[in-house]
Amino acid sequence: MAGDMKKVGYYPGCALEGTGHAYNRSTKEVGKALGLDLVELKNWNCCGAMEVKNIDPQVQTYLSARNLTIAKDMGFEKVMAPCNGCYHNLKKAEYDLKNNAHAVEVNERISRKAGHATYQPGQVETIHALDWIKNAIGEEELARRVKHSLKGMKVANYYGCMYTRPRHIFPEKDKGPGSESTLKPHFMDDLLGAAGAENVEFPLKTACCGGAHALSDSDTSTKLVLNILETAEACGAEVIATECPTCHTGLEMHQVRAEKVLGRKTKVKILYFTQLLGMALGLSAKKVGVNELMSDPSDLLRAKGLG
Amino acid sequence: MTVVEPFPALMARVDATLAAPVAARNALAEAEANLAEGEAVLEAWLTSRGVEPTEETVEGFRLLALHRQGARGDPSFNACRETCRELVYLRNVVALHEDDPEEAARALRLQAMVLKHLALFIGGKLQEAGLGEFCCSARPLRANETPGPARTAAGPD
């Protein structure tokens, strides 16, 4: 993952304009506070998410590739996608266009019809918000810039399933020291640790939250989320840090539903890692969109001298 | 109408493990039992789809071989890959700390929670596919909860 990451193309994706608005806001604010430059892609489109991918994976590849073309046309070598679903889809498009002749053919055909250049694999590298901050700033520099340490805050870092799966679309991961691990991811742990947080051992870091079934099969999602929440609490966590808007919304929504439907109340708070980093960098809770969350962490934040 | 949950005996045992006092445990035996329960969960998924569960091992563990078998032709099954590996990892942590009851008990507790997650995940997949003995009672409730087009059962009820 070479190259300068101080200025990258920014692909927020649809979720960050809706339910994940606080993630969008806090990502931008953290970038500003760290002196990093995010330039939003012009006229970006949906990455194809689950809906298109389930019906026609090649069309999803095209939709993601179009965003990569935009990034290339804007002069970026790297595009940062903070949403796990978008990140996964852009990576998948890159992989498909290298390895799947049918995907290449469909991408060329639709790109021609749409009247824009066809994306060629290798032109742009997709990175996650975690890669961005970890590589552009690093733990040492981050620690140096912390104004309000997260010291004493016990955090379970929850990465969800799309950040590391399937492994073959993330060739830069599992490359030994310094690279991200697909079995036990640690970039979020590294960054929040540098900001002073106490990361707890959490065995469900990449476990399924039932996000894809949040609406079609709410009971299963609620039970999966409840187990994640209860496990985090059993590990001593006060906060679950997230880096995916789908996981985040699912955890918040099903925390409420678990209490309502199953009578099981959990107290652990759920915040985006960018919100925690932002507050550690001295930004106010409002500035990083804490007021937009469903689970109100204000008591905890006040007790920790944040917000 | 009573909803029959998938893997009720397993869930009861896990809850009992979590509630039990830390002392007076044979941690490694319990960790091995958790692995065996994990294997049973994956076996249920495979047999419900007409696949004979393998007796082979991967990296020394049958659970990992069963997972690999389940993922063949079904990439979404990889969503529980790390859950299976975490079960094995925590079993190894317990084995490593046999002379440290506190650490062994901590790892065992985490392993029980991971096992529960695997059972919930596979149970959800079984229900979604219309497989398993609990479907007759669960499906009408689910149909009422989410009105929509009829689902096609992927196997016999």
Side-chain angles (χ1 to χ4, degrees):
Chain A
M1 197 171 287
D4 186 15
M5 294 205 191
K6 301 250 186 252
K7 184 175 181 179
V8 295
Y10 182 44
Y11 176 66
C14 315
L16 268 71
E17 292 199 333
T19 50
H21 185 259
Y23 192 22
N24 193 14
R25 185 186 182 118
S26 53
T27 300
K28 287 178 175 174
E29 291 296 340
V30 165
K32 236 187 268 176
L34 291 172
L36 303 176
D37 207 355
L38 279 181
V39 182
E40 189 163 328
L41 301 187
K42 285 175 195 155
N43 193 25
W44 55 264
N45 55 266
C46 168
C47 67
M50 298 291 191
E51 296 77 3
V52 178
K53 192 158 63 179
N54 286 343
I55 294 165
D56 190 335
Q58 313 312 339
V59 173
Q60 179 270 310
T61 297
Y62 162 73
L63 288 169
S64 288
R66 180 180 177 274
N67 293 313
L68 296 171
T69 303
I70 294 170
K72 190 210 78 169
D73 289 347
M74 287 173 72
F76 292 109
E77 288 177 2
K78 298 194 191 299
V79 62
M80 191 276 273
C83 164
N84 275 0
C86 300
Y87 170 65
H88 168 102
N89 279 344
L90 266 56
K91 286 283 201 187
K92 181 187 159 289
E94 184 75 30
Y95 179 85
D96 283 351
L97 293 175
K98 260 187 205 151
N99 298 286
N100 182 333
H102 181 48
V104 172
E105 187 267 311
V106 171
N107 184 46
E108 280 173 358
R109 184 158 39 86
I110 307 181
S111 298
R112 221 176 14 250
K113 207 168 174 183
H116 61 77
T118 305
Y119 178 74
Q120 303 298 328
Q123 290 179 322
V124 177
E125 184 184 12
T126 302
I127 60 170
H128 193 271
L130 289 167
D131 300 317
W132 176 54
I133 300 172
K134 173 117 172 152
N135 288 288
I137 297 293
E139 291 97 300
E140 270 182 41
E141 178 62 14
L142 183 64
R144 207 181 57 76
R145 298 198 194 189
V146 165
K147 290 181 180 152
H148 299 296
S149 171
L150 302 178
K151 193 165 185 248
M153 182 180 279
K154 291 183 178 157
V155 180
N157 292 286
Y158 180 62
Y159 295 80
C161 60
M162 299 192 90
Y163 175 65
T164 52
R165 293 191 192 103
R167 283 173 300 158
H168 63 262
I169 67 171
F170 304 107
E172 73 283 6
K173 292 184 165 73
D174 293 328
K175 295 289 180 211
S179 73
E180 183 60 295
S181 162
T182 56
L183 178 59
K184 284 187 180 287
H186 54 85
F187 277 16
M188 189 156 47
D189 295 66
D190 297 345
L191 294 174
L192 292 176
E198 187 184 323
N199 298 311
V200 302
E201 185 182 351
F202 183 46
L204 296 178
K205 276 181 170 187
T206 62
C208 172
C209 70
H213 298 289
L215 299 175
S216 65
D217 187 5
S218 300
D219 286 351
T220 296
S221 295
T222 301
K223 285 176 206 159
L224 286 166
V225 166
L226 179 63
N227 196 46
I228 290 168
L229 300 171
E230 288 183 338
T231 301
E233 288 190 347
C235 293
E238 301 160 290
V239 171
I240 295 180
T242 60
E243 42 94 326
C244 168
T246 307
C247 298
H248 185 99
T249 307
L251 293 187
E252 285 206 302
M253 196 169 81
H254 289 289
Q255 185 174 38
V256 176
R257 193 169 186 272
E259 187 178 355
K260 241 179 173 175
V261 178
L262 305 174
R264 303 269 282 271
K265 185 175 170 65
T266 47
K267 289 180 184 165
V268 65
K269 303 299 177 193
I270 303 141
L271 285 112
Y272 289 107
F273 85 98
T274 41
Q275 293 182 306
L276 293 169
L277 278 189
M279 287 184 281
L281 291 168
L283 303 174
S284 71
K286 195 170 178 193
K287 194 113 182 157
V288 293
V290 169
N291 54 315
E292 296 178 27
L293 299 176
M294 256 190 271
S295 66
D296 179 10
S298 46
D299 285 350
L300 173 78
L301 296 179
R302 262 195 299 274
K304 303 287 180 192
L306 299 162
Chain B
M1 186 185 300
T2 309
V3 177
V4 181
E5 297 288 347
F7 309 115
L10 180 151
M11 293 298 183
R13 198 183 75 76
V14 167
D15 286 341
T17 301
L18 295 174
V22 169
R25 279 185 181 177
N26 182 343
L28 185 55
E30 281 195 50
E32 298 278 9
N34 282 342
L35 273 192
E37 297 255 29
E39 289 172 13
V41 168
L42 295 190
E43 280 173 8
W45 171 251
L46 290 164
T47 50
S48 72
R49 293 164 68 89
V51 178
E52 180 68 30
T54 183
E55 290 299 327
E56 291 181 6
T57 61
V58 166
E59 296 173 52
F61 292 92
R62 182 167 175 253
L63 183 76
L64 301 183
L66 289 166
H67 173 267
R68 185 174 288 183
Q69 195 180 15
R72 211 164 286 145
D74 181 5
S76 74
F77 201 75
N78 278 316
C80 68
R81 176 181 176 272
E82 276 72 28
T83 310
C84 292
R85 296 192 72 87
E86 196 71 31
L87 272 178
V88 170
Y89 165 77
L90 288 165
R91 177 262 170 214
N92 289 343
V93 173
V94 171
L96 202 64
H97 292 280
E98 267 196 291
D99 54 352
D100 180 352
E102 205 175 309
E103 179 59 19
R106 190 191 66 81
L108 187 63
R109 198 176 158 77
L110 294 182
Q111 194 202 27
M113 289 174 161
V114 176
L115 171 63
K116 189 172 181 177
H117 210 80
L118 181 67
L120 286 168
F121 177 79
I122 300 294
K125 278 181 81 71
L126 283 165
Q127 285 193 314
E128 189 66 24
L131 302 168
E133 74 278 13
F134 38 79
C135 299
C136 298
S137 51
R139 195 186 290 154
L141 278 189
R142 295 145 67 83
N144 286 340
E145 186 188 31
T146 316
R151 290 178 181 152
T152 309
D157 281 347

